[in-house]
């Protein structure tokens, strides 16, 4: 719902507050887009922060971040399956 989307968007703004970013809202799709500029050396930190949002955030690019998120989620899933 709108309140939940707004909450997660505001949370993302705070989470990535010290990175250069741009934001926009799509009224038609009722979605928010946040683009974050970061140094490659900060990519691991970016991935960790994105993972804190669980299913409430979708990464569109870069592919290296998408791949790392997929790797970490898959690895975590396998750890739980072995329990």
């Amino acid at each position: 719902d709108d309140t939940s989307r707004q909450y997660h968007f505001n949370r993302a703004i705070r989470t990535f507050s010290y990175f250069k970013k741009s934001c926009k809202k799509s009224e038609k799709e009722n979605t928010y887009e946040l683009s974050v500029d970061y140094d490659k050396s900060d990519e691991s930190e970016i991935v960790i922060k994105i993972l804190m949002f669980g299913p409430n955030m979708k990464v569109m690019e870069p592919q290296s971040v998408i791949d790392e998120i997929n790797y970490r989620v898959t690895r975590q899933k396998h750890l739980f399956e072995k329990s």
Side-chain angles (χ1 to χ4, degrees):
D1 71 350
D2 287 345
T3 304
S4 178
R5 287 176 201 253
Q6 182 68 48
Y7 167 79
H8 291 295
F9 180 71
N10 289 336
R11 185 174 157 226
I13 294 295
R14 288 189 308 274
T15 300
F16 297 100
S17 63
Y18 53 92
F19 292 98
K20 183 179 176 187
K21 61 195 158 309
S22 62
C23 319
K24 65 181 174 180
K25 180 178 182 183
S26 168
E27 297 292 339
K28 181 179 177 183
E29 297 177 20
N30 194 28
T31 59
Y32 295 90
E33 182 177 310
L34 176 65
S35 298
V36 179
D37 292 329
Y38 62 92
D39 289 335
K40 181 73 172 163
S41 63
D42 291 327
E43 193 163 276
S44 183
E45 179 182 359
I46 292 288
V47 167
I48 290 166
K49 290 181 180 302
I50 290 169
L51 287 170
M52 292 187 321
F53 286 86
N56 298 301
M57 182 178 285
K58 180 178 180 180
V59 177
M60 306 302 287
E61 61 179 335
Q63 190 62 46
S64 60
V65 170
I66 295 168
D67 292 344
E68 182 63 20
I69 289 170
N70 284 330
Y71 170 75
R72 289 180 185 224
V73 168
T74 300
R75 189 174 70 188
Q76 190 71 24
K77 180 179 177 250
H78 289 306
L79 287 172
F80 285 106
E81 288 173 346
K82 292 179 181 180
S83 299

